[in-house]
Amino acid sequence: MPQFTSPRPLQLTLRKPRNPLVAPALKRQAGRHQSPHDAQAQRQQARLELRRLLRDRFPDDSP
């Protein structure tokens, strides 16, 4: 003989009311960050500019 199981309630009773401010916060997305390629290009530009400044300031007079 199978054991009797009571039917589950159709609606679960929640202990706390939902916070209405949470739903919009979950839909928010962060802004676009800089891609690694952009950062690499900036570093390369800075390196080339520094090299150019040093070359202009201290010219190489070697034979």
Side-chain angles (χ1 to χ4, degrees), residues 3 9-10 13 21 23 52 54 56-57 63:
Q3 185 178 4
L10 294 177
T13 56
L21 302 177
R52 197 174 305 122
L54 289 174
D56 292 345
R57 181 167 230 155

Side-chain angles (χ1 to χ4, degrees), residues 30-45:
R32 184 178 157 274
H33 294 285
Q34 213 175 27
S35 72
H37 181 70
D38 292 343
Q40 181 182 2
Q42 282 184 347
R43 283 194 303 271
Q44 183 181 12
Q45 283 295 112

Side-chain angles (χ1 to χ4, degrees), residues 4-61:
F4 175 76
T5 56
S6 61
R8 295 187 179 269
L10 294 177
Q11 266 190 345
L12 296 175
T13 56
L14 300 174
R15 285 179 263 162
K16 296 181 181 178
R18 288 191 62 115
N19 185 349
L21 302 177
V22 170
L26 290 177
K27 292 181 182 179
R28 242 179 257 135
Q29 292 184 351
R32 184 178 157 274
H33 294 285
Q34 213 175 27
S35 72
H37 181 70
D38 292 343
Q40 181 182 2
Q42 282 184 347
R43 283 194 303 271
Q44 183 181 12
Q45 283 295 112
R47 190 169 51 242
L48 290 174
E49 186 178 343
L50 178 63
R51 191 179 298 162
R52 197 174 305 122
L53 284 171
L54 289 174
R55 188 177 56 228
D56 292 345
R57 181 167 230 155
F58 304 107
D60 187 16
D61 295 332

